[in-house]
Amino acid sequence: ADRLGEVATALARGSDATSLAEPLPVRVVVDGVVFGNLSAEALDDDAFETVGEATAGDVAVRIEVGPDGSIAPGETGGARRVDASRGDADPEGDTDTADSDADGFWSSVARLVAVHVERAETAERLRAFAERLDTILDHTTNVVFMKDLEDRYLLVNEAFTSMVGRDRDAILGRTTAAVHGEAVADRFRDHDTAVIEAGEPDQFDERYPTADGDRRFVTVRVPLFDDDGEPYAVYGIATDVTAELRLADQRADLLDRMADGFIAIDEDDNITFLNARTVAFAGEGRDREELVGQGFWEAFPEADAALAEAIQEARKRGEATTATAYYEPVDGHFEARVYPEGESVSMYVRDVTERVREREELERRERVMKRLYEVIAEKDTTLESKVSGLLALGKEVLGVESGLLSHVEGERYRAEVVADDTGLFAAGDVVPLSTTICERVVSQAGSIQVCDAPGDPELADRDGVTEGGIACYVGAPVVVDDEMYGTFCFYDRGDRPNPFPEWEVTLVDMMARWVSYELERREAQSEVTRERDRLDRFASMVSHDLRNPLNVASGNLELARETGDTDRLDTAANALDRMNELIEDALSFARVGERVVDTERVDLAAVASEAWNTVETGGATLVVEDPGLVLGDASRVRTLFENLFRNSVEHGSTSSRAEPDDSVEHGGDAVTVTVGREETTLFVADDGPGIPEADREQAFETGFTTDPEGTVFGLGIVEGIATAHGWSVAATEWAAG
């Protein structure tokens, strides 16, 4: 910028700075940037006229002068003013010549400025690029160099100078022989010539002599060409592999004691060395002396084709390759690392059978989990169908004959979904839990596996083992709402020398957990549906049963107002009492259907006695035969008894068991109600006429009654309480009649 300002000032004064009293306004404009003298700074842009222009590369230059005129070369070596605006002529009368000389002068100045600016910018860019390149090259650990066609070094990085132990100034401009010695110069020149003649990069294994001995490098040499396609230099990047090769040399003495195999073959694929591990691969009766010198493919005819491809690729590329191959004679997978040395190769062979089989096992597990997901995610399929799919998958994965989903009810074991090839179980079969191996799953509440059931003292005499011949077993519990539902298990009649793998046991447990979840979900859906239906029935019955007494009360009140008959008020009061009774039973029905969550130990005998005392029993009698304890809601169990007792007392009659002459003695008030228990069944029986057989299936339906004065809720409440506890109800004939 300073120099361009000086140019503008010099142009303003002319070649002789003292020839003008005042400087002429002159500006030099370079790529739109203005540089002018002091006279030019006081003028606006539109006061200047371009008198000369030129470009050089991407640089554009204009020379502009102010309104006083132009400067032209003077006859005396100075300069003179020419006021073009006034049309002054040359003193000699040669106006055209003067104008032409002036235009040429300004254009020459513009060209001169453009050329110098363009060169300055180019030089700056090259300098910056060179600095960046030097920084990159000096920070790499690889040895970098460039040589011309006369074998003189043009560029070396810091790693190169460090390797040869000389300063850069002592290397640049000198030949390979001068830097490294004649011993290696010919070989390096041959490599340079090879890439130049080939016209493309190539890789070489090279030795560089240093004060500490030879260092080994893998060197990539690249020919460089000018715009005419003529070579002018060779560029090289050398990677130090000295330590790696030295380590290989140090290990050479240990190769024969290696656990891995090692073998070397020459360019004709003949074996030059192999260690003891590799000799063993050749088979029994073979020894090293016999194998060395023999063709590799003759000594190991079962070698995988992948190994042949790796050897070929290593020779072609001149660098190490890796292949994993299966070797059938030893039933193993091996990883071969192939190192080329010219056309010869050395191979390190490592047994990776365990790794390969682990990978294959992971892939197998992934396929199993995918199939598992497909089974359980299938839409529009029943739970039984999905469980059957899981059983089929489990049998395949575990390699067993059979599997099933069971449901345990007390001491009863019921087969629900069965995929049994042994013929031991069919769907719906019920056997004592104690005769099955699944009993151990239930008692331990956890997954188990058995490899030798006949050899297990606790299992050897169970029917599944003695009659079904079950020898091995794996099973997991199915738990629904924190209660033992049953088992999900697999079994086989063949002995199993080794336990089931942990992953397979986990898979069975995972399947059982999914079945548990699905059963819980299905139960929850059923509960929602049942509750909705119950409330629908409740609303329907309440609206229906309350309407009649409401109409009676309303009608009689209206007649009482009209006639003054007070008997009508008694009728209305009775109707209102009836409505109150219906409302109380309806509210009880609405409450008892809620599922029992918090349970306690309920003494059935005590609760039954309490319930009896709250019911109008008249002359009826209660007999309690030690019904024992249950887990439940004591308040709702008492309500259950109350409704059963009320039903027995209110419907008791002598018509089915008494002679006509003793009907008074054995009337409804004389009914006897008995509470007892048979295994898992709690019963409430009476010696009245009972429920007609034709009505027993619908007796517990809300709304059913044989008494026009009944509330239609009684036995419906009983059914609701039982279901809320997870129990079931039934009406049947008592053994006592």
Side-chain angles (χ1 to χ4, degrees):
D2 292 341
R3 294 179 63 189
L4 288 172
E6 292 173 0
V7 168
T9 300
L11 289 173
R13 291 185 176 277
S15 59
D16 185 354
T18 62
S19 63
L20 294 175
E22 295 181 2
L24 185 67
V26 177
R27 299 196 313 184
V28 180
V29 183
V30 180
D31 289 336
V33 181
V34 176
F35 304 91
N37 63 347
L38 294 176
S39 298
E41 293 178 359
L43 299 176
D44 296 333
D45 290 343
D46 56 3
F48 287 88
E49 176 184 359
T50 299
V51 295
E53 293 181 286
T55 59
D58 295 331
V59 178
V61 176
R62 297 196 313 272
I63 305 297
E64 298 177 348
V65 298
D68 290 340
S70 303
I71 297 178
E75 295 179 353
T76 61
R80 63 186 178 87
R81 293 179 187 267
V82 177
D83 191 347
S85 63
R86 295 195 303 267
D88 292 346
D90 183 88
E92 301 295 330
D94 192 359
T95 304
D96 292 339
T97 302
D99 291 343
S100 175
D101 290 344
D103 291 343
F105 171 73
W106 294 119
S107 297
S108 297
V109 171
R111 281 195 297 273
L112 182 62
V113 171
V115 168
H116 278 278
V117 171
E118 195 275 336
R119 287 179 178 175
E121 291 181 352
T122 301
E124 178 62 23
R125 287 196 297 270
L126 290 175
R127 183 192 62 77
F129 174 77
E131 289 179 353
R132 288 194 295 270
L133 180 61
D134 288 343
T135 299
I136 293 172
L137 294 180
D138 285 340
H139 282 80
T140 181
T141 58
N142 291 333
V143 172
V144 180
F145 60 88
M146 185 169 68
K147 298 190 294 182
D148 62 16
L149 300 187
E150 282 71 42
D151 195 35
R152 293 177 302 216
Y153 283 104
L154 303 177
L155 177 148
V156 294
N157 69 343
E158 192 170 306
F160 190 102
T161 62
S162 176
M163 178 188 70
V164 301
R166 298 187 184 186
D167 293 337
R168 188 178 275 113
D169 293 340
I171 299 173
L172 297 180
R174 289 174 173 75
T175 64
T176 304
V179 175
H180 300 295
E182 290 290 348
V184 297
D186 289 342
R187 183 168 68 252
F188 289 172
R189 281 194 293 267
D190 289 344
H191 293 170
D192 293 340
T193 301
V195 297
I196 291 173
E197 292 178 352
E200 60 184 20
D202 202 354
Q203 178 175 290
F204 303 91
D205 291 332
E206 298 180 340
R207 295 176 183 269
Y208 282 77
T210 68
D212 298 328
D214 286 355
R215 289 171 63 180
R216 302 286 296 276
F217 289 84
V218 174
T219 305
V220 177
R221 294 176 180 262
V222 183
L224 302 178
F225 299 89
D226 60 20
D227 293 340
D228 297 327
E230 295 297 325
Y232 68 88
V234 173
Y235 179 77
I237 301 177
T239 302
D240 192 344
V241 295
T242 305
E244 181 180 349
L245 295 177
R246 182 180 297 126
L247 183 61
D249 292 340
Q250 293 173 352
R251 290 177 176 174
D253 294 337
L254 303 176
L255 289 177
D256 204 34
R257 290 178 286 171
M258 287 174 52
D260 296 334
F262 174 80
I263 186 169
I265 60 176
D266 61 19
E267 64 275 8
D268 297 320
D269 286 346
N270 293 321
I271 299 172
T272 58
F273 177 83
L274 73 172
N275 68 348
R277 175 64 169 159
T278 312
V279 171
F281 294 157
E284 296 183 4
R286 310 294 295 273
D287 56 33
R288 192 197 317 273
E289 287 71 19
E290 175 189 356
L291 294 170
V292 172
Q294 187 177 355
F296 175 79
W297 305 108
E298 296 174 7
F300 302 95
E302 298 89 352
D304 198 301
L307 181 59
E309 294 176 2
I311 293 174
Q312 182 179 1
E313 185 70 12
R315 285 171 169 164
K316 177 181 178 181
R317 298 174 56 187
E319 60 184 33
T321 58
T322 303
T324 300
Y326 175 72
Y327 192 58
E328 185 177 2
V330 296
D331 187 26
H333 296 268
F334 296 87
E335 181 183 80
R337 181 74 171 171
V338 184
Y339 293 93
E341 182 71 29
E343 289 298 311
S344 300
V345 297
S346 300
M347 290 182 287
Y348 290 90
V349 183
R350 184 161 58 95
D351 189 341
V352 293
T353 304
E354 183 176 353
R355 187 184 72 188
V356 171
R357 289 177 179 169
E358 285 178 355
R359 184 180 68 247
E360 291 174 346
E361 175 63 16
L362 289 175
E363 292 172 351
R364 182 182 75 93
R365 294 181 185 182
E366 184 178 354
R367 292 192 298 270
V368 170
M369 296 306 296
K370 181 179 179 181
R371 290 177 57 190
L372 174 65
Y373 172 77
E374 291 172 349
V375 169
I376 64 178
E378 188 173 354
K379 297 181 178 179
D380 303 324
T381 303
T382 64
L383 175 61
E384 181 177 351
S385 177
K386 291 182 178 181
V387 172
S388 296
L390 293 181
L391 291 173
L393 176 61
K395 287 169 57 178
E396 179 183 336
V397 174
L398 273 67
V400 297
E401 297 174 296
S402 307
L404 65 82
L405 168 66
S406 72
H407 183 31
V408 176
E409 299 171 308
E411 295 301 320
R412 291 156 51 88
Y413 177 94
R414 178 160 55 89
E416 289 202 335
V417 184
V418 180
D420 192 325
D421 296 340
T422 67
L424 181 61
F425 283 104
D429 285 354
V430 178
V431 299
L433 176 63
S434 59
T435 65
T436 68
I437 300 178
C438 288
E439 183 276 335
R440 181 174 289 181
V441 175
V442 175
S443 63
Q444 295 183 4
S447 303
I448 70 163
Q449 66 164 307
V450 178
C451 296
D452 180 19
D456 189 322
E458 294 183 1
L459 303 176
D461 59 350
R462 302 197 178 184
D463 292 350
V465 179
T466 59
E467 298 178 10
I470 296 177
C472 64
Y473 170 98
V474 58
V478 176
V479 179
V480 178
D481 292 330
D482 297 326
E483 296 291 336
M484 181 66 67
Y485 175 88
T487 62
F488 193 84
C489 63
F490 297 89
Y491 47 94
D492 195 279
R493 290 171 294 190
D495 291 336
R496 189 176 186 89
N498 298 312
F500 289 97
E502 182 179 355
W503 183 81
E504 294 181 359
V505 177
T506 301
L507 178 66
V508 174
D509 187 67
M510 185 185 307
M511 291 179 173
R513 289 174 183 269
W514 180 84
V515 173
S516 299
Y517 164 76
E518 281 297 301
L519 289 172
E520 284 186 353
R521 189 174 65 86
R522 185 174 66 172
E523 179 64 25
Q525 290 177 338
S526 299
E527 178 69 17
V528 171
T529 301
R530 186 185 67 81
E531 184 68 11
R532 184 191 62 225
D533 294 343
R534 186 179 66 83
L535 293 176
D536 287 345
R537 293 196 305 271
F538 167 75
S540 176
M541 287 183 294
V542 167
S543 63
H544 176 271
D545 292 339
L546 286 178
R547 187 175 293 112
N548 186 51
L550 181 61
N551 290 337
V552 171
S554 298
N556 280 277
L557 284 174
E558 185 66 27
L559 289 172
R561 290 191 186 99
E562 293 176 357
T563 64
D565 184 357
T566 58
D567 291 340
R568 295 291 182 178
L569 295 177
D570 292 337
T571 303
N574 291 335
L576 292 175
D577 289 341
R578 173 63 174 162
M579 289 178 62
N580 186 59
E581 182 181 1
L582 285 170
I583 290 172
E584 288 182 356
D585 282 353
L587 291 175
S588 177
F589 175 78
R591 288 192 296 266
V592 298
E594 298 175 357
R595 189 173 188 83
V596 174
V597 177
D598 297 326
T599 61
E600 57 183 319
R601 297 173 66 85
V602 179
D603 185 338
L604 292 175
V607 172
S609 297
E610 292 175 6
W612 184 262
N613 293 330
T614 61
V615 176
E616 294 182 5
T617 58
T621 304
L622 175 66
V623 177
V624 180
E625 297 179 348
D626 190 19
L629 303 175
V630 294
L631 290 177
D633 184 325
S635 176
R636 282 196 262 182
V637 172
R638 184 174 62 190
T639 302
L640 177 144
F641 279 125
E642 289 172 351
N643 281 274
L644 287 172
F645 295 159
R646 186 180 296 113
N647 182 273
S648 293
V649 171
E650 292 177 354
H651 293 276
S653 172
T654 62
S655 60
S656 64
R657 63 180 177 85
E659 296 298 328
D661 58 357
D662 61 1
S663 60
V664 175
E665 181 181 357
H666 297 285
D669 291 342
V671 68
T672 298
V673 181
T674 303
V675 177
R677 185 170 182 169
E678 295 177 353
E679 296 183 351
T680 61
T681 300
L682 170 68
F683 67 85
V684 177
D686 64 62
D687 57 358
I691 300 173
E693 185 174 357
D695 296 335
R696 290 174 185 170
E697 289 187 5
Q698 56 181 336
F700 294 95
E701 294 180 2
T702 305
F704 175 80
T705 181
T706 58
D707 183 359
E709 299 299 323
T711 64
V712 307
F713 287 109
L715 292 184
I717 293 174
V718 172
E719 191 273 341
I721 294 174
T723 302
H725 281 79
W727 306 337
S728 59
V729 295
T732 185
E733 185 76 11
W734 187 28

